[in-house]
Amino acid sequence: MKYLTVTTLFLPSLFFSWHLPSLAHADEIDMVVAAIDGEPVTAGELKRFVVSQGASVPDDLLGHPEDARRALQDMITARLLEKEAEKAGVSVSEEELDAYIGEIKRQNQIDDAGLAKLLEGRNLSPADYRKQVVNDIIRTRIV
C-alpha cells in the first residue's frame, strides 16, 4: 500500500513580513510551501489552484494561514482523487463533459453566453471550469 506523504513548509506570517517581505508575494518569488508525494507545491501553484476553484485569492495568501491551510488541504484532496482515478482507470470523455455542462446550463436556464458571464463573475476561465467539472464527475465515480 502506498502512502501519501505531505510536507508543509509554511513559515509564520511574521517571518515573511518582518525578515523577508518580498517572500509574502508569490509573484516576486515562487517559493515552495509544501510537498505532496515528494512533488513540490509552490505558492503560485496554490494560488492558481484556488482561482481554478472559483474562489478569490488574497494578495498575500501566505499571510492568511487559515486560508492557506484550507487551500492546501483542498489541493491535497484534489491530487489524491486524481491519483486514485488514474489508478482505477476512471476518466471523463469530452462527450460526457459536454453533456454534463449542457445539463447544468439547462437546469439553470442559461445559454453559453450566460454561463460565460457567470464564470467571469467568479473569475473562472472556461478551461478551469471544465477541469473543475471533470474533477466533480470523477469524485462522484470514486466515492
Side-chain angles (χ1 to χ4, degrees):
M1 175 178 270
K2 186 177 177 187
Y3 293 94
L4 174 73
T5 304
V6 177
T7 308
T8 56
L9 303 172
F10 285 115
L11 299 176
S13 301
L14 182 59
F15 178 81
F16 291 120
S17 61
W18 188 61
H19 293 288
L20 297 171
S22 65
L23 289 181
H25 302 285
D27 296 340
E28 295 174 22
I29 295 178
D30 203 11
M31 61 183 277
V32 174
V33 295
I36 302 174
D37 267 353
E39 296 176 28
V41 176
T42 64
E45 282 181 285
L46 189 57
K47 279 185 164 186
R48 285 188 296 279
F49 174 79
V50 171
V51 169
S52 77
Q53 301 303 299
S56 61
V57 181
D59 287 338
D60 181 11
L61 178 61
L62 299 181
H64 298 86
E66 284 304 313
D67 292 339
R69 210 172 274 116
R70 187 173 31 259
L72 184 58
Q73 287 172 340
D74 291 347
M75 186 178 210
I76 290 166
T77 300
R79 291 230 178 134
L80 280 172
L81 284 171
E82 287 172 12
K83 288 179 186 244
E84 285 299 313
E86 189 177 306
K87 246 187 337 187
V90 175
S91 63
V92 178
S93 70
E94 285 296 314
E95 293 81 20
E96 289 173 300
L97 179 58
D98 290 339
Y100 192 92
I101 291 174
E103 182 60 22
I104 290 171
K105 290 188 302 189
R106 188 190 67 71
Q107 288 176 359
N108 290 288
Q109 301 175 352
I110 56 174
D111 58 7
D112 288 338
L115 179 60
K117 186 175 179 178
L118 286 173
L119 295 178
E120 185 179 314
R122 293 181 58 197
N123 291 323
L124 196 58
S125 73
D128 285 339
Y129 176 68
R130 289 178 72 81
K131 186 175 181 180
Q132 184 179 349
V133 171
V134 166
N135 289 337
D136 290 346
I137 294 169
I138 286 173
R139 183 176 299 121
T140 61
R141 290 181 180 174
I142 289 178
V143 176

